[in-house]
Amino acid sequence: MPVVTSEKLIGLQQDFDNVRNICILAHVDHGKTSLTDSLIATNGIISPKMAGKVRYLDSRPDEQLRGITMESSAISLYFSLLRRPHPNEPPRPKEFLINLIDSPGHIDFSSEVSTASRLCDGAVVLVDAIEGVCSQTVTVLRQTWMEHLQPILVINKMDRLITELKMTPSEAYTHLSKLLEQVNAVVGSFFQGERMEEDLKWRERIEQRVAEATSREQERSGNKAAVSTDGVPLPSGTSSISADETPADFEEKDDEDIYFAPEKNNVIFSSAIDGWAFTVKQFAGIYEKKLGIKRTSLEKVLWGEYYLDPKTKRVLGQKHLKGRSLKPMFVQLVLETIWAVYSASLGGTDGKGDVTLIEKITKSLSILLPPHVLRSKDPRGILTAIFAAWLPLSTALLVSVIEYLPSPSTAQAARLPAVIDASPASSSVDPKVRDAMVKLDKSKDAPMVAFVSKMVAVPESELPEKKTRVGALSAEEAREMGRRKRAEIARAQAIDAGGSTSDDSLANLTEVLESTNLGNSNAGDATTDQPEDVEHLIGFCRLFSGTLSVGDEVYVLPPKFTPSKPFAPPQPQKVTVTALYLLMGRGLEKLTSVPAGVVFGVGGLEGHILKSGTLCSQLSGSVNLAGVSMGTEPIVRVAIEPVNAGDLDKMIRGLRLLEQSDPCARYETLESGEHVILTAGELHLERCLKDLRERYARCEIQAGEPIVPYRESIVSAEEMAPPKSKDLPRGTVVANTASKLVSTTVRVRPLPADVTDFLHKHAGAIKKLYLESVDETKRSENQEQEQDDETTVEIPENLTVSDFKAKLKALFDAEKVDREVWTDVVENIAAFGPRRSGPNLLIDSTKSKCCRRFLADEKPQDGHEQTSREDAGVISARSLSDKIAYAFQLATAQGPLCNEPIQGIAVFLEDVTVSPGDATAGGVSENAGRLTGEVLKTVRDSIHQGFLDWSPRLLLAMYSCEIQASTEVLGRVYGVITRRRGRILSESLKEGTPFFSVLSVLPVAESFGFSDEIRKRTSGAASPQLRFQGFEMLDEDPFWVPFTEEDLEDLGELADKENVAKRYMDRVRVRKGLFVKGKKLIRDAEKQKTLKR
């Protein structure tokens, strides 16, 4: 293949109708990178024979070693296609530019998929023909649905149906039909969910308009409203809610275009390792003349229950078979031919094929193979040569991409209105900016808007301006090199003009020429003293409108920017674009300017963008596109430190560089001074530590044990210790402050499980309601709207106070145990915790209602507003309400078991009594600080004591684990899962395959080393996919000791049975430096040996 120059690719960027931006998405090991190799080979970058083996876009050494992709990488490809301008004219070549992004499939790197999808207009989704729909397949299909990408389905690894499962063509057709149904079922579930959501919104709009019309009519006339047959009050004599304004029926959307169907040419059947692929449209063109059927008609019947009558050569439906056993046309005309090629190439008793049959097949397919290929002893080479000449993978895929996937102009007109409307404060976006983005205006006067999805770290030696040129020089470069050499010679002659001999002059001239480096004139003595290869950050970017050139000054909008407050602090910074790059996989090419609709790299953003951001030429009316869902949140935390204490500054700089270059990794500094890195999983952690040691920090770093999060809760168990206070109900604590000035009574109870789950799911709505309530009492109406817009980026939920109260009240009413306790609880909620949005409730049960009610419909009373502004007076319970609420936040943020967050408790504040003798104004002013501290400590300790009066529980962070395993290794997989305290949820045999799909849950604390152990035990036959699922309660009291006669008899006084909850709790307490009860330092007293030694 001829090598396509970068100048050719740059020239194609100007015509956006001939540009395609696509990403390749799939589950891990479904063949994305091998498929990409076949496409790269068409541009002469790698040899076609090495396609599928080089894995060109896996540029990291650990990617090549593990055989999986860890970072999304982009490359620009050239493709030429013959097209007829008019039906009567001869075909002419039409050139296209395809910007392709290869993304990882491992669950730990789902954030890379999220960053790649926003940059593209279409997606190529791969599915393994045997493994079928896996967990990440559902994830990437959901991502394409959320980003409104046009997808193409590629059923890859078709060769495994022939060589591994030994299926017949008819069995393979049945298997492929079921696989296609599974994929369409996933897409259909997305459509159904969206349809139900739109139906709910439509009903809410109808009800709102009815209520507004009713209120307007009642204000306009004092007459009573008429009542419709449905019981909805309608204004008499008005047409404000007539059918022309509000549709009477919900408008159903057509879901025909969202499904995959081979007759629509959005399904490709391929084998990336053997280098072939085909669509139904290709075979329709092959058999058009042989069958005498029009190509368009043949495309519709080649897939499905259609049969070819061998006598009449007519296509029959299933109803017209009349009992005859005919094969479907797809089996007869497509699959049997492919099966025959495999049988001729790899069949036979010795597995070397049949030469005679190969010659017959090549003749029937009109394929000419070189003689040296036919004489080859490698049957796989003959197979790939036949398919390369007959059904090349690159042709089938790239033609489908060009014909089916949209160009940037078409895609932006369809996608961007919804994307802009979903952005923060979309109503404040300048109409000129909106029109330029939707219409893909690439003129220089148009507003420039670009989205930076992530920052990529590139060594300085790999930058084009620093890289030594290898290969042939262009004409201008050769002329520049000649001028430079002539200047060097003239300079040498001028030095030697003052009396040196001709021999000396010639020797000096020779030295000058020898010291001249054709690739880099400034190389000099670089080989003797090599500087450190510094890492530079380059933005992975997509331009939506305008033109961006080197030297342009643009505004960098952070993810929390809102157009309604463009100048609010921190004000967006204005930076100068220092470089633009064409992304070519392992290399970069310099650009001077970039038109709209192109994926490219941009330099000069280092230190201005943390992970993602938006570039805009104007600040007022700009749009924020940075609200991308990352897919997976980092759950694994590890404390790290340098081996040499002097390298601490280098490590911190490296951590900040890593945080910018990795979309999912985070860096935190704990209160104890520890430096902690948060990653998505064990493999992600391993990659981050490797990059930190070798690229970013360049120093030796040691990592501690992973820090796993836990949660604390309480339950009402059958066997619990008696209440600590016999005169009070369980969980009730009466406490006085140290000064005896304030006395509080709190009662702690476990929340119903349904209520806890509801609060978990709607944490964002709770936070938003809290911010709105703060704005309502302390800020003006305009400031409330601005604050609401500011928080929309992080909190997308839109629940009104009334809706939230109604749902929460329904859950409390459904509780059957202690129903009277939860009566009118919703109206008395004072706070949520921790962080004012957690799944714990502070309920004001005092007679005076001293705390402000969180979900109150009416505004706070004057007494509540004036209490904080009183300059003189006595201490009251209302003046302490904010201290009590803050103490509740502290108590739920760090529980009594091991200082982990609490969930699922309700704290009833039953009484707050202030001693009247000392509660004078003078006492308040003198001891305000001391009293605040005393109240905080007293209330927090009271909540913890009430918590321990019940049966405490630890909640473990859990992974959802999906494993594909064969029957031979299934027992070993079960053994590893059981040994690590996992639990099997389901086991299903994939129909038509010998593989089982095992779904289980596994504690995160036991998951480290799990993947390696599974691979070792099964000899690589099984590989797990771990996804964070949430927290699950460990039904074991960490303080349980045997106290009944039966337990003492069975377990003894020391409880020989291990208390797993106590082991987890003690492990966390040791890590945090807390006291561990019952820990023995001395094991053997007579030898005086300690555990530390």
Side-chain angles (χ1 to χ4, degrees):
M1 291 290 179
V3 179
V4 180
T5 61
S6 58
E7 289 78 9
K8 182 79 171 177
L9 299 174
I10 295 171
L12 292 174
Q13 290 181 345
Q14 303 301 323
D15 187 4
F16 52 73
D17 288 332
N18 293 339
V19 175
R20 299 293 185 273
N21 299 313
I22 64 172
C23 55
I24 299 184
L25 311 174
H27 188 75
V28 66
D29 289 335
H30 279 200
K32 298 180 297 300
T33 309
S34 300
L35 183 85
T36 308
D37 275 1
S38 299
L39 306 182
I40 295 174
T42 62
N43 282 228
I45 299 175
I46 62 174
S47 170
K49 295 181 180 179
M50 299 302 294
K53 303 172 185 176
V54 176
R55 301 200 305 276
Y56 181 79
L57 291 183
D58 287 349
S59 55
R60 295 170 56 96
D62 48 356
E63 288 180 327
Q64 291 286 340
L65 183 63
R66 290 180 176 270
I68 63 172
T69 305
M70 297 184 184
E71 289 182 350
S72 56
S73 50
I75 191 169
S76 297
L77 301 176
Y78 164 84
F79 185 68
S80 179
L81 189 66
L82 291 175
R83 288 287 184 89
R84 295 179 184 270
H86 297 284
N88 299 328
E89 294 186 10
R92 298 178 183 176
K94 195 172 184 180
E95 299 175 329
F96 293 88
L97 173 67
I98 298 176
N99 296 316
L100 183 146
I101 302 178
D102 182 26
S103 63
H106 197 279
I107 185 66
D108 282 8
F109 309 108
S110 294
S111 56
E112 296 280 350
V113 178
S114 304
T115 58
S117 59
R118 178 59 65 92
L119 303 180
C120 299
D121 304 317
V124 178
V125 180
L126 271 71
V127 177
D128 193 313
I130 292 183
E131 294 184 5
V133 177
C134 299
S135 59
Q136 277 298 95
T137 310
V138 179
T139 302
V140 298
L141 285 172
R142 183 182 291 109
Q143 192 70 36
T144 59
W145 181 269
M146 293 170 57
E147 294 291 341
H148 306 284
L149 300 181
Q150 189 79 15
I152 285 181
L153 178 65
V154 177
I155 301 179
N156 195 27
K157 300 190 179 182
M158 289 275 292
D159 58 292
R160 297 181 66 189
L161 301 178
I162 308 172
T163 58
E164 291 185 23
L165 299 186
K166 309 294 183 184
M167 284 186 175
T168 62
S170 298
E171 293 172 345
Y173 171 72
T174 305
H175 179 78
L176 293 173
S177 301
K178 292 181 179 178
L179 175 58
L180 199 58
E181 290 176 2
Q182 293 176 6
V183 178
N184 284 331
V186 174
V187 179
S189 65
F190 301 151
F191 174 80
Q192 188 67 20
E194 188 176 90
R195 189 260 176 209
M196 294 176 65
E197 185 178 354
E198 290 178 353
D199 184 28
L200 179 61
K201 292 180 180 178
W202 174 80
R203 292 179 184 275
E204 290 177 350
R205 288 197 301 268
I206 291 289
E207 294 174 357
Q208 183 180 1
R209 289 182 181 181
V210 168
E212 290 176 355
T214 304
S215 61
R216 286 197 303 267
E217 179 64 19
Q218 289 177 351
E219 290 176 0
R220 192 163 48 244
S221 63
N223 299 331
K224 295 183 178 180
V227 180
S228 69
T229 56
D230 295 334
V232 179
L234 296 176
S236 58
T238 63
S239 59
S240 56
I241 54 171
S242 59
D244 56 347
E245 183 176 330
T246 303
D249 296 326
F250 179 71
E251 297 180 1
E252 293 284 353
K253 287 185 177 180
D254 186 12
D255 62 342
E256 184 180 357
D257 296 334
I258 68 172
Y259 296 112
F260 297 104
E263 60 269 19
K264 296 180 182 178
N265 293 311
N266 60 357
V267 178
I268 302 174
F269 304 90
S270 76
S271 171
I273 195 68
D274 290 335
W276 61 267
F278 68 88
T279 60
V280 167
K281 187 175 182 179
Q282 278 182 275
F283 273 92
I286 294 174
Y287 288 106
E288 180 182 10
K289 294 182 179 179
K290 292 183 180 180
L291 299 178
I293 304 175
K294 290 184 179 180
R295 182 172 183 173
T296 54
S297 302
L298 199 55
E299 289 177 10
K300 300 177 181 178
V301 297
L302 262 183
W303 175 268
E305 299 300 325
Y306 297 98
Y307 306 87
L308 183 66
D309 192 334
K311 295 181 181 180
T312 61
K313 300 295 182 181
R314 295 182 60 186
V315 178
L316 305 176
Q318 194 170 10
K319 297 179 180 179
H320 302 86
L321 286 180
K322 297 180 180 179
R324 288 182 292 179
S325 59
L326 299 179
K327 298 178 181 178
M329 293 181 64
F330 189 77
V331 175
Q332 184 179 357
L333 302 180
V334 179
L335 294 185
E336 286 187 350
T337 310
I338 294 175
W339 259 245
V341 174
Y342 272 89
S343 177
S345 303
L346 305 178
T349 56
D350 54 356
K352 295 184 179 180
D354 187 350
V355 178
T356 307
L357 189 57
I358 289 175
E359 293 178 354
K360 184 178 179 181
I361 289 176
T362 53
K363 186 176 181 180
S364 64
L365 297 175
S366 302
I367 296 174
L368 293 177
L369 295 181
H372 71 276
V373 175
L374 293 173
R375 292 194 302 266
S376 174
K377 294 182 180 181
D378 181 16
R380 182 68 67 174
I382 298 175
L383 177 73
T384 54
I386 294 174
F387 279 119
W390 180 36
L391 299 173
L393 185 149
S394 57
T395 302
L397 184 58
L398 294 180
V399 168
S400 298
V401 164
I402 290 170
E403 293 183 348
Y404 188 76
L405 297 185
S407 63
S409 57
T410 306
Q412 289 190 195
R415 287 180 60 211
L416 287 190
V419 173
I420 295 174
D421 291 340
S423 64
S426 58
S427 60
S428 302
V429 177
D430 191 346
K432 293 182 180 179
V433 174
R434 179 187 288 266
D435 293 342
M437 294 176 65
V438 173
K439 297 178 181 178
L440 191 65
D441 189 353
K442 65 175 184 178
S443 61
K444 292 185 178 180
D445 299 332
M448 192 284 301
V449 178
F451 172 64
V452 181
S453 67
K454 68 170 186 174
M455 302 297 287
V456 182
V458 179
E460 186 175 7
S461 59
E462 295 184 8
L463 294 177
E465 53 267 23
K466 301 291 183 180
K467 205 170 184 180
T468 303
R469 179 64 182 264
V470 179
L473 300 176
S474 64
E476 292 185 3
E477 291 174 334
R479 285 193 291 270
E480 178 64 26
M481 188 64 64
R483 284 194 294 268
R484 193 184 306 143
K485 290 173 63 177
R486 286 193 294 272
E488 293 283 353
I489 294 173
R491 191 180 304 112
Q493 290 175 347
I495 294 174
D496 295 336
S500 59
T501 61
S502 60
D503 294 339
D504 294 336
S505 176
L506 183 60
N508 293 334
L509 180 60
T510 304
E511 290 179 2
V512 171
L513 291 177
E514 288 178 351
S515 64
T516 302
N517 191 334
L518 294 179
N520 185 3
S521 60
N522 298 325
D525 300 330
T527 56
T528 58
D529 186 17
Q530 293 184 352
E532 186 178 352
D533 200 2
V534 182
E535 297 281 342
H536 292 268
L537 292 176
I538 294 175
F540 204 27
C541 196
R542 161 74 184 267
L543 191 61
F544 288 103
S545 65
T547 300
L548 185 63
S549 303
V550 177
D552 288 352
E553 291 187 347
V554 296
Y555 289 99
V556 178
L557 311 182
K560 292 186 179 181
F561 172 82
T562 172
S564 60
K565 295 196 306 180
F567 300 100
Q571 188 172 347
Q573 299 177 344
K574 200 170 188 180
V575 299
T576 303
V577 177
T578 58
L580 297 172
Y581 301 101
L582 178 68
L583 304 173
M584 292 298 294
R586 300 183 181 184
L588 302 170
E589 297 291 341
K590 290 187 67 175
L591 299 173
T592 56
S593 65
V594 174
V598 175
V599 177
F600 61 99
V602 57
L605 305 179
E606 187 171 351
H608 301 283
I609 289 183
L610 179 60
K611 292 184 181 294
S612 63
T614 309
L615 306 181
C616 197
S617 57
Q618 65 183 53
L619 193 56
S620 299
S622 55
V623 60
N624 183 5
L625 301 174
V628 180
S629 174
M630 286 295 108
T632 56
E633 289 295 323
I635 185 65
V636 179
R637 297 187 299 169
V638 173
I640 60 175
E641 62 180 4
V643 175
N644 184 4
D647 294 332
L648 181 60
D649 292 338
K650 294 173 66 176
M651 187 192 76
I652 294 175
R653 285 195 301 268
L655 283 170
R656 289 172 179 164
L657 194 60
L658 173 67
E659 187 180 20
Q660 293 181 61
S661 62
D662 194 299
C664 191
R666 294 181 188 172
Y667 163 55
E668 293 180 354
T669 304
L670 302 183
E671 296 179 357
S672 59
E674 291 180 295
H675 299 278
V676 174
I677 181 174
L678 286 81
T679 60
E682 189 178 5
L683 182 59
H684 187 209
L685 171 64
E686 186 177 337
R687 192 199 76 177
C688 289
L689 292 178
K690 179 180 175 65
D691 287 346
L692 202 58
R693 293 188 182 103
E694 298 178 1
R695 297 178 60 184
Y696 303 136
R698 297 180 184 273
C699 63
E700 287 298 321
I701 293 173
Q702 58 185 9
E705 292 186 1
I707 303 172
V708 179
Y710 293 88
R711 296 292 183 267
E712 302 179 16
S713 187
I714 53 176
V715 295
S716 178
E718 295 181 0
E719 296 182 358
M720 288 191 296
K724 296 180 181 179
S725 178
K726 297 180 180 180
D727 300 332
L728 297 173
R730 184 183 294 275
T732 304
V733 178
V734 179
N736 298 318
T737 58
S739 61
K740 307 297 182 182
L741 185 62
V742 180
S743 174
T744 60
T745 302
V746 298
R747 185 182 180 188
V748 180
R749 292 187 62 90
L751 272 178
D754 293 340
V755 176
T756 305
D757 294 339
F758 175 79
L759 298 179
H760 254 305
K761 293 177 182 178
H762 297 85
I766 296 171
K767 187 174 182 181
K768 188 173 182 178
L769 292 176
Y770 169 77
L771 293 173
E772 289 177 350
S773 67
V774 171
D775 292 342
E776 188 176 355
T777 57
K778 295 185 178 179
R779 298 186 182 185
S780 64
E781 187 176 354
N782 294 333
Q783 289 176 330
E784 174 191 356
Q785 180 64 33
E786 292 172 353
Q787 176 70 14
D788 180 68
D789 292 339
E790 183 179 356
T791 59
T792 309
V793 178
E794 296 183 347
I795 309 164
E797 298 187 56
N798 292 317
L799 270 181
T800 62
V801 176
S802 57
D803 293 341
F804 184 81
K805 285 175 60 177
K807 293 181 179 180
L808 191 58
K809 191 174 186 303
L811 292 174
F812 277 119
D813 293 341
E815 184 64 21
K816 297 180 180 180
V817 180
D818 296 335
R819 194 168 185 174
E820 66 282 355
V821 176
W822 308 111
T823 305
D824 298 332
V825 160
V826 177
E827 295 292 339
N828 297 324
I829 294 177
F832 295 85
R835 296 187 177 183
R836 300 186 179 90
S837 60
N840 303 290
L841 299 180
L842 175 62
I843 300 165
D844 185 6
S845 298
T846 58
K847 296 180 180 179
S848 60
K849 303 299 180 186
C850 61
C851 296
R852 187 177 68 89
R853 290 184 291 171
F854 183 81
L855 299 176
D857 293 328
E858 68 277 0
K859 292 185 179 181
Q861 300 176 0
D862 296 338
H864 288 277
E865 295 178 350
Q866 294 176 1
T867 302
S868 59
R869 298 194 298 266
E870 289 179 352
D871 297 59
V874 296
I875 299 174
S876 64
R878 287 181 179 177
S879 65
L880 300 175
S881 60
D882 55 340
K883 284 83 172 175
I884 295 173
Y886 187 64
F888 168 74
Q889 303 294 336
L890 294 177
T892 52
Q894 291 186 338
L897 298 184
C898 49
N899 282 7
E900 291 291 322
I902 294 176
Q903 73 175 39
I905 69 168
V907 179
F908 292 83
L909 182 63
E910 296 186 344
D911 185 36
V912 179
T913 305
V914 180
S915 177
D918 298 328
T920 60
V924 173
S925 59
E926 293 176 359
N927 304 314
R930 179 173 59 87
L931 185 61
T932 299
E934 289 180 358
V935 172
L936 290 178
K937 184 178 184 303
T938 302
V939 176
R940 186 194 62 184
D941 293 346
S942 298
I943 295 175
H944 285 175
Q945 291 176 23
F947 180 96
L948 296 175
D949 208 8
W950 296 85
S951 183
R953 293 289 188 270
L954 274 181
L955 281 83
L956 309 182
M958 303 296 288
Y959 274 139
S960 172
C961 174
E962 183 180 353
I963 302 176
Q964 302 270 351
S966 60
T967 312
E968 293 79 10
V969 300
L970 199 59
R972 302 174 193 171
V973 170
Y974 278 21
V976 176
I977 294 175
T978 307
R979 198 160 45 247
R980 290 177 174 266
R981 300 188 57 79
R983 190 175 73 256
I984 306 295
L985 297 180
S986 65
E987 169 199 310
S988 59
L989 177 65
K990 294 211 167 186
E991 191 173 352
T993 70
F995 294 97
F996 282 86
S997 178
V998 180
L999 186 63
S1000 62
V1001 290
L1002 186 75
V1004 176
E1006 305 288 347
S1007 66
F1008 302 102
F1010 174 72
S1011 300
D1012 291 338
E1013 186 178 359
I1014 282 282
R1015 281 191 288 267
K1016 289 177 183 177
R1017 294 284 183 181
T1018 61
S1019 300
S1023 181
Q1025 286 280 299
L1026 300 175
R1027 178 190 294 273
F1028 180 65
Q1029 184 180 7
F1031 291 89
E1032 185 176 297
M1033 185 175 292
L1034 179 62
D1035 194 15
E1036 193 170 358
D1037 191 338
F1039 299 116
W1040 180 85
V1041 291
F1043 62 91
T1044 64
E1045 293 184 2
E1046 294 181 0
D1047 292 339
L1048 289 172
E1049 183 178 352
D1050 293 341
L1051 303 175
E1053 295 182 358
L1054 298 178
D1056 297 336
K1057 179 183 176 182
E1058 182 188 18
N1059 191 327
V1060 180
K1062 188 176 188 307
R1063 173 161 60 86
Y1064 287 139
M1065 182 185 71
D1066 290 347
R1067 186 187 302 174
V1068 178
R1069 293 186 71 90
V1070 169
R1071 176 174 57 82
K1072 294 184 176 182
L1074 304 175
F1075 173 72
V1076 178
K1077 185 178 181 181
K1079 183 179 179 181
K1080 295 183 179 179
L1081 291 177
I1082 300 176
R1083 178 180 297 162
D1084 301 317
E1086 66 276 8
K1087 297 182 180 179
Q1088 288 297 311
K1089 289 185 177 180
T1090 64
L1091 293 180
K1092 292 185 178 180
R1093 295 182 183 176

